Amino acid sequence: PSFATCTVTFWGDFCLFQAPEHLYIYTKQGECVFQERALSFRIDNDTLHVTLPVSDALGFIAETQWQIQDSALTRVQYTLKQIRPAALQGDIKTTMLGYAFFESVRIGADFTAMLNEEMQAEQDSLRNYLGDFLSVVLTDKSHVCGLVYKKAERLYQVRYFQITIDNEKITDVSPI
């Protein structure tokens, strides 16, 4: 946030600004390469560990790891953890399956284990179908997520998609 008190840390060619619940990382040239709400972070050698809030209603956080590659930060790990009982009822695996799927597509991770056999054959088509989105937004329905797309400078659009689940596997992805 603008004009917030922050702590400044240097890490290799990067400058980290930690404000209350936010972390910003800039290169020496002044390019912002990381801007997220962050509960905490730590640096071990060449790895940045950041804990991100995911959903207060569902009681989840994401533990992420980032590494320097070619003067850029690359996310190498993303793990969802439940830190308190969820407000929604139901099996936690199916409750967060949609979010985990869309987040995996977004970061380029392997999501085939989440799909049934028919959908696994369409993995590349799914990536193209969903396009290049910036983030995933949870809704009050566990099978629906919003995908945030950049339309123009400082202009974003949220498109909602629902998943169909059978035997703990995704059988369909469709827009709402």
Side-chain angles (χ1 to χ4, degrees), residues 2-128:
S2 300
F3 307 109
T5 302
C6 63
T7 303
V8 179
T9 306
F10 294 96
W11 177 45
D13 290 337
F14 297 98
C15 183
L16 290 72
F17 295 87
Q18 183 181 22
E21 294 190 13
H22 287 83
L23 178 63
Y24 303 89
I25 302 177
Y26 289 85
T27 64
K28 283 184 177 179
Q29 293 75 27
E31 177 187 1
C32 184
V33 294
F34 185 93
Q35 179 179 337
E36 295 276 350
R37 282 188 60 216
L39 300 174
S40 64
F41 81 94
R42 74 177 196 284
I43 299 170
D44 292 330
N45 300 320
D46 287 337
T47 304
L48 172 68
H49 302 263
V50 184
T51 302
L52 307 170
V54 175
S55 168
D56 291 337
L58 296 175
F60 277 86
I61 60 169
E63 292 183 346
T64 63
Q65 291 183 18
W66 305 76
Q67 290 186 330
I68 299 174
Q69 295 178 351
D70 300 324
S71 297
L73 284 177
T74 302
R75 183 163 49 189
V76 294
Q77 183 175 348
Y78 188 97
T79 306
L80 286 173
K81 287 194 172 182
Q82 188 174 20
I83 56 173
R84 60 180 168 70
L88 297 177
Q89 299 298 315
D91 175 36
I92 202 63
K93 185 172 184 178
T94 56
T95 300
M96 291 303 288
L97 184 60
Y99 179 82
F101 165 72
F102 290 117
E103 215 21 71
S104 295
V105 171
R106 184 180 78 79
I107 67 171
D110 181 14
F111 54 86
T112 53
M114 300 177 206
L115 306 174
N116 70 357
E117 287 185 32
E118 295 82 27
M119 292 290 286
Q120 287 178 2
E122 301 297 322
Q123 177 177 331
D124 291 333
S125 297
L126 271 173
R127 281 189 203 277
N128 293 333

Side-chain angles (χ1 to χ4, degrees), residues 112-163:
T112 53
M114 300 177 206
L115 306 174
N116 70 357
E117 287 185 32
E118 295 82 27
M119 292 290 286
Q120 287 178 2
E122 301 297 322
Q123 177 177 331
D124 291 333
S125 297
L126 271 173
R127 281 189 203 277
N128 293 333
Y129 172 67
L130 294 172
D132 189 22
F133 54 96
L134 303 173
S135 65
V136 181
V137 179
L138 292 168
T139 68
D140 59 349
K141 298 175 183 159
S142 63
H143 67 286
V144 176
C145 286
L147 306 184
V148 180
Y149 295 86
K150 186 171 186 174
K151 290 189 69 155
E153 188 64 32
R154 297 176 47 168
L155 181 62
Y156 301 89
Q157 175 185 25
V158 178
R159 293 175 42 205
Y160 293 91
F161 290 85
Q162 65 183 356
I163 61 167

